Amino acid sequence: MVDYPIVKTTDIKAAVDALKQKFPDAIQDDTRQGYGGIIVDKNHLVEVATALRDDFGFDYLSSATAVDYLGISDHMEMVYHAYRTAGGPALVFKAQTPRDKPEIPSLINVWPGADFQEREAWDLYGIKFPGHPNLKRILLWDGFDGHPMRKDWQEAYYEEDHKPFESRWPGGWVHRAEERNIYGKNVKYPADFDLSKLSDTSEESHYADLGLGVSVQKLADESHIKTDRLVVNMGPHHPSTHGVFRMIVTLNGETIEKLEPVMGYLHRNHEKIGERNTFLHNMPFTDRLDYLSSMGNNLGYALAVEQLLANGARYQPPTYRAECIRVLMVELTRIVNHLWAIGFLLNDLGAFFTPALYAIAEREKILDFFEATAGSRMMCNYMRFGGVFKDLPERIRGEATRVNDLVRDYDTMEFLTELINERLPRSIDELDQYLTDSEIIKSRTVGVGYLSPEMAIAYSAAGPLLRASGVPYDVRRADPYSIYPELDFDVAVRYNGDIYDRYLIRLDEMRESLRILKQILPRLERTRGEAIFAGNKQHTPRVPLGEAYGRVENPKGELGFYVVSAGDEKGPQNPWRYHVRAPSFISLTALGPMCIGHKVADVVAILGSIDIVLGETDR
């Protein structure tokens, strides 16, 4: 157990006032319309951040977001959301820099969790972070020309800044940009990029910081058994890496000395797409991030845009029934995700397919309900700003496609009641009975992949990864949203910080989700027939000027959306900035330290215990 300092107040204003007294010349309020937080002189950024952590208890850096304001005020800025693990809202602080030479001091020595987020800001925006020990591209390759999230960057097949493109609507004179761009002239490389040394150049930056000099060398100490020090690539083509993900592993014999995650093989610049879509058009794109948790993704984005809409005169909050349905969907999603995570953790341990099939069997029943309600099983475009797409159906029906097909036809509430009260509890108990006391599982997981509570906080770990290290931090309790304050449930926490506890905590969380769902059922009955959309009509008012950060406790941890509206009253309604705080991405910051001292076979299990999805990692 860690003794956390007692925080006397969660009042952010009081903390800001005290911070201003401590740094009177370095801090000013962000007075832009619709904005909040404080702007910190970048020359004092590290001092202010250190004070926030050490003197004010903001020990957890959740999100670090880059924004380009070309055409508005022609500067770039980093937006940081810092929280207390004891609970409470964010203290939002920002640092600004000129676009022509964008530099902001690194905060990696204050919060190591800034590591990958600063590399992402350098990769996509070109902001340099003096003091960062390993500042290089993270989502794009070394031969990529430019920084694609900057407002003045255009891709080879660029058409317009915003959708819908005129080539497609309303006239219908459809053409593809590729038809008007000569093949072979559509690729540019950085000026200093030597294409003739492609294989060497693309790999140098990955190996440069390993400090080996060569890939293989003998140990100098002759007093021990001689072993080889090797650099081994695991992935990106191996199924154990959960998709197109790569780990550069430095081995001394079979013992890991260093591990560096390499990602970006699936990157398609989700956020650039998000800034060309309208606000509403982005909803089905959120499904594709963590495709096992699409309902939770929908909700996080809806909360962010609803914060912006709340600044307008016409906004009406979601109805109570809509909130009940939202909680129903996201807690079922938590169970869907954790069943999958446990099944494939067993795959990673070498128990191929059978445990996964047991876990997936009941998951399919939840997907039947999702399909009947949202129209799709995995990527559910269901949430809307101010409510949900449609109410729960009276019955869950299926169609016969072959002779002698068994056709689904259930009363929806009876189906949910049996699922929540009988089927899911029985399925979770079965997994517990078969797996928890297994001698093989314990020998492979107990004490493996240890992450201390201090490191978990420092590295910005979230969700089960954070709570399995003894930190009882859950956004649903720490900074509540929707109707969670009125629901009775406990924050699941385990204290050993190893793979085994990360397995156990997912069982715990599924059982807590069932507690929540059992409270939702009578609320659904009580609100039957009530409106599922604010004002009983689906419409989206114009999104006012400002910024917002919506976050939810997704199955993999805190999922956050930072959105900025330029507030264009006449033009298209597109986010000026659309950023995803992806738990799969940030939690990988701790992967390297967790693997040191273990064997190669342990790496696969440690990665599986984090539970990542590459669609969310790479975006």
Side-chain angles (χ1 to χ4, degrees), residues 208-245:
D209 68 320
L210 296 176
L212 297 180
V214 293
S215 294
V216 182
Q217 69 180 35
K218 298 289 186 182
L219 288 175
D221 189 351
E222 298 292 340
S223 63
H224 295 83
I225 296 175
K226 291 184 179 181
T227 60
D228 289 334
R229 184 176 282 118
L230 302 171
V231 175
V232 176
N233 280 288
M234 297 183 66
H237 302 300
H238 196 282
S240 70
T241 58
H242 289 250
V244 280
F245 178 67

Side-chain angles (χ1 to χ4, degrees), residues 5 19 47-60 82-83 107-112 457-458:
L19 202 61
E47 298 171 65
V48 172
T50 304
L52 276 173
R53 182 195 65 187
D54 297 343
D55 301 336
F56 295 91
F58 290 91
D59 51 350
Y60 186 77
Y83 294 88
L107 295 184
I108 195 170
N109 291 325
V110 183
W111 292 293
I457 295 169

Side-chain angles (χ1 to χ4, degrees), residues 429-446:
D429 288 344
E430 272 187 356
L431 285 176
D432 193 354
Q433 180 183 353
Y434 293 152
L435 303 177
T436 301
D437 291 326
S438 165
E439 183 179 341
I440 297 174
I441 289 176
K442 284 188 171 180
S443 67
R444 289 292 312 278
T445 60
V446 173

